[in-house]
Amino acid sequence: RSRKLQIRNIPPHLQWEVLDSLLAQYGTVENCEQVNTDTETAVVNVTYGNKDQARQAIEKLNGFQLENYSLKVAYIPDEMAAQQPPQQHPQGRRGFGQRGPPRQGSPGATTRQKPQSDVPLRMLVPTQFVGAIIGKEGATIRNITKQTQSKIDIHRKENAGAAEKPITIHSTPEGCSTACKIIMEIMQKEAQDTKFTEEIPLKILAHNNFVGRLIGKEGRNLKKIEQDTDTKITISPLQDLTLYNPERTITVKGSIETCAKAEEEIMKKIRESYENDIAAMNLQAHLIPGLNLNALGLFPPSSSGIPPPAVSVASAAAAASYPPFGQQPESETVHLFIPALAVGAIIGKQGQHIKQLSRFAGASIKIAPAEGPDAKLRMVIITGPPEAQFKAQGRIYGKLKEENFFGPKEEVKLEAHIKVPSYAAGRVIGKGGKTVNELQNLTSAEVVVPRDQTPDENDQVVVKITGHFYACQLAQRKIQEILAQVRRQQQQQKTLQSGQPQPRRK
């Protein structure tokens, strides 16, 4: 056979990083180049280090479900590849270097140019200026959309009687910024004409999921934007958030020029956070078969202006069934440590919140008694399959942030414990700590297997994972993968020892 594969039916907006990490699971990828086709989905040609790796990749990836697309993988015979130099295809192949500049975004991006960024710009404008922005018979707004090649929704009917109305702008980042500047100029002119004397700041709406990273550690990111753009920026408090309004208002004060500069920087940061989260989620999707990310409602669908609440219960209930072919997913137990003061918020009035959470996630959730009167942390015991773990832990992280147990400027980081058989602990650590170090680099979570642990009555030891939600999830999935591998190997050894004939490999 060959070391070269062609992979078709790749989701058009999949991030390169996610594709790379998926391909790298089966061996060394020497080259990955995109083939231009007329299909909506993307096609890439991949060359692995050897034929064995290519064989493994084709077995694992053919029919692999990725964001509701089923990948199609086939060999490219060596001689055929040699006969078809790329030059023969005038619009043909584009070799993306391992990490060259053209590899921004997603493989599908070159196939069909998608003018809109996934994250719209959302502004709040004083209600009295909405008429001027729309213009006579809609002429002004039509002109802006044409000039900036954008789609602009003015939500006039929202918040009846409110002093401000939201505007959603779907376009490229440049298109959004130009439209924003034009709208600010219109408001300025209207203010002068109507002798409106108050200052009109630029107000941007952003989903709370991304605001922490915009602010940065100890507010550094925000301070830098203020200094670079010569503006004054404030962000509405967390207390203003509700389940139906997960957005915070970012208020920028300065001249039109400086506000426009600040908008570019703010939205750049927010789009970055969104893309990182999507990439992290796509990685999660590989690791949790059948996990329907859209149904979890963690991210705004690109068509609608307002992102859904952090996790919506109704849509999550409609999540794809897990796993395929009627296998029962393995149940896992994770011990998550939360601030002792947060226990009331997690349990809720008369236990309502924890019951609802348990139903929503499909997991058993119990809070262990405090270890002592001064215990700072309490242990939450979550039992259920991977998807239930993902939902339950995600909700707990969200709740702690929402209830202000972590400051507005800090990311929620929690410690989770997984028990592993003592004979498998060495595999999690790896030779000279290699596996655990790779795990930490890949997931950006802190993973510790404390030395000199005495195994418990079930001959198990604890692995400690500390990090923000995605990092923690990724580390948990990777460790479970290692354990599954150890179990399979043990099974094979038992079969060999019992002298049963091994099934012949085809």
Side-chain angles (χ1 to χ4, degrees):
R1 284 295 173 137
S2 153
R3 325 183 272 134
K4 299 186 177 73
L5 304 177
Q6 182 165 84
I7 303 177
R8 302 192 307 285
N9 210 30
I10 298 169
H13 314 310
L14 187 76
Q15 297 286 312
W16 270 114
E17 285 71 18
V18 174
L19 183 61
D20 286 345
S21 66
L22 180 62
L23 298 177
Q25 287 178 23
Y26 307 108
T28 312
V29 176
E30 287 185 0
N31 190 26
C32 178
E33 55 182 21
Q34 183 165 3
V35 183
N36 280 350
T37 61
D38 299 333
T39 55
E40 180 182 320
T41 51
V43 178
V44 297
N45 288 346
V46 183
T47 308
Y48 273 98
N50 60 44
K51 293 181 181 180
D52 227 29
Q53 295 173 349
R55 181 183 54 77
Q56 206 184 344
I58 203 165
E59 282 172 7
K60 294 283 199 303
L61 290 176
N62 201 14
F64 185 89
Q65 283 291 324
L66 198 53
E67 294 184 16
N68 299 335
Y69 290 81
S70 181
L71 298 184
K72 294 182 174 59
V73 189
Y75 281 111
I76 305 172
D78 287 338
E79 57 279 10
M80 195 176 120
Q83 284 166 15
Q84 289 191 327
Q87 297 84 294
Q88 287 182 9
H89 302 261
Q91 101 286 336
R93 302 172 182 182
R94 284 195 38 210
F96 292 85
Q98 276 302 320
R99 272 279 190 284
R103 298 189 66 150
Q104 306 285 266
S106 58
T110 47
T111 322
R112 284 164 78 245
Q113 278 303 312
K114 182 163 165 266
Q116 301 185 349
S117 132
D118 276 336
V119 184
L121 167 64
R122 303 245 307 144
M123 298 171 68
L124 262 188
V125 303
T127 305
Q128 63 261 51
F129 296 143
V130 169
I133 295 166
I134 294 170
K136 202 172 178 190
E137 292 168 3
T140 312
I141 198 80
R142 262 201 313 278
N143 196 10
I144 304 173
T145 50
K146 203 167 153 192
Q147 202 177 325
T148 59
Q149 289 188 312
S150 57
K151 175 178 177 288
I152 301 178
D153 299 319
I154 298 181
H155 309 277
R156 270 185 298 183
K157 295 188 175 72
E158 251 178 62
N159 315 355
E164 295 171 312
K165 298 285 179 194
I167 294 182
T168 305
I169 305 166
H170 295 269
S171 184
T172 57
E174 300 72 40
C176 287
S177 296
T178 311
C180 169
K181 198 171 173 193
I182 297 171
I183 289 171
M184 285 195 289
E185 284 163 354
I186 292 169
M187 292 196 291
Q188 197 73 46
K189 187 178 180 310
E190 185 66 8
Q192 286 163 355
D193 293 352
T194 55
K195 306 277 188 293
F196 181 86
T197 51
E198 290 169 48
E199 183 185 7
I200 313 162
L202 165 63
K203 289 190 177 181
I204 298 170
L205 292 171
H207 196 291
N208 184 46
N209 284 358
F210 312 127
V211 170
R213 282 164 284 181
L214 166 68
I215 295 168
K217 212 169 180 177
E218 291 163 7
R220 282 185 210 134
N221 291 351
L222 209 55
K223 279 189 202 119
K224 188 175 183 325
I225 297 175
E226 285 185 320
Q227 284 162 359
D228 292 353
T229 58
D230 193 21
T231 53
K232 179 86 191 80
I233 305 174
T234 51
I235 295 181
S236 64
L238 268 167
Q239 286 82 337
D240 295 359
L241 291 178
T242 65
L243 194 60
Y244 302 102
N245 171 32
E247 292 180 302
R248 293 177 64 186
T249 307
I250 302 161
T251 304
V252 185
K253 293 186 174 175
S255 66
I256 287 180
E257 288 301 322
T258 59
C259 284
K261 269 194 204 136
E263 178 273 334
E264 282 176 28
E265 294 303 317
I266 289 167
M267 287 307 292
K268 194 161 130 194
K269 204 78 203 139
I270 284 168
R271 287 185 188 104
E272 239 167 61
S273 304
Y274 173 76
E275 275 152 24
N276 290 343
D277 283 3
I278 287 286
M281 290 294 288
N282 282 328
L283 267 176
Q284 288 286 355
H286 307 327
L287 301 173
I288 308 182
L291 173 57
N292 180 340
L293 300 177
N294 301 336
L296 278 176
L298 279 166
F299 295 106
S302 47
S303 55
S304 100
I306 307 176
V311 179
S312 64
V313 181
S315 60
S321 65
Y322 164 97
F325 319 124
Q327 299 154 273
Q328 276 310 302
E330 292 256 339
S331 187
E332 302 169 0
T333 298
V334 177
H335 295 162
L336 196 62
F337 289 84
I338 62 168
L341 295 169
V343 169
I346 298 295
I347 294 175
K349 208 171 179 180
Q350 294 170 333
Q352 281 308 94
H353 186 262
I354 201 162
K355 277 182 204 149
Q356 186 195 6
L357 178 55
S358 201
R359 265 202 312 274
F360 154 74
S364 149
I365 303 168
K366 297 188 174 77
I367 295 181
E371 289 201 339
D374 303 326
K376 292 269 192 301
L377 294 173
R378 287 283 290 278
M379 182 166 81
V380 183
I381 304 159
I382 305 165
T383 308
E387 186 174 353
Q389 293 290 350
F390 186 90
K391 290 181 184 174
Q393 293 178 43
R395 259 297 170 88
I396 290 169
Y397 271 79
K399 186 74 174 163
L400 296 179
K401 185 78 177 170
E402 212 177 283
E403 300 279 348
N404 297 339
F405 287 104
F406 288 77
K409 297 184 174 138
E410 57 181 326
E411 192 106 62
V412 178
K413 281 193 175 179
L414 298 179
E415 188 174 305
H417 290 184
I418 298 180
K419 287 191 170 177
V420 305
S422 59
Y423 59 80
R427 288 289 292 275
V428 175
I429 298 168
K431 208 170 175 181
K434 186 170 181 272
T435 311
V436 84
N437 287 339
E438 280 174 2
L439 244 173
Q440 299 195 93
N441 293 338
L442 171 76
T443 62
S444 77
E446 191 185 325
V447 181
V448 180
V449 184
R451 290 177 186 278
D452 312 323
Q453 280 189 71
T454 310
D456 64 11
E457 67 280 7
N458 300 321
D459 196 29
Q460 291 184 317
V461 292
V462 167
V463 178
K464 298 180 177 181
I465 304 162
T466 310
H468 61 76
F469 176 60
Y470 298 118
C472 211
Q473 285 298 307
L474 205 43
Q476 287 175 37
R477 299 275 59 81
K478 283 292 177 197
I479 290 168
Q480 295 293 357
E481 264 176 36
I482 294 170
L483 295 179
Q485 227 171 357
V486 174
R487 280 197 294 271
R488 277 198 301 274
Q489 286 167 347
Q490 279 209 318
Q491 205 51 49
Q492 284 169 350
Q493 277 169 350
K494 272 186 194 156
T495 315
L496 281 170
Q497 284 160 2
S498 63
Q500 288 175 358
Q502 282 283 77
R504 281 184 57 192
R505 292 191 65 176
K506 291 192 174 122

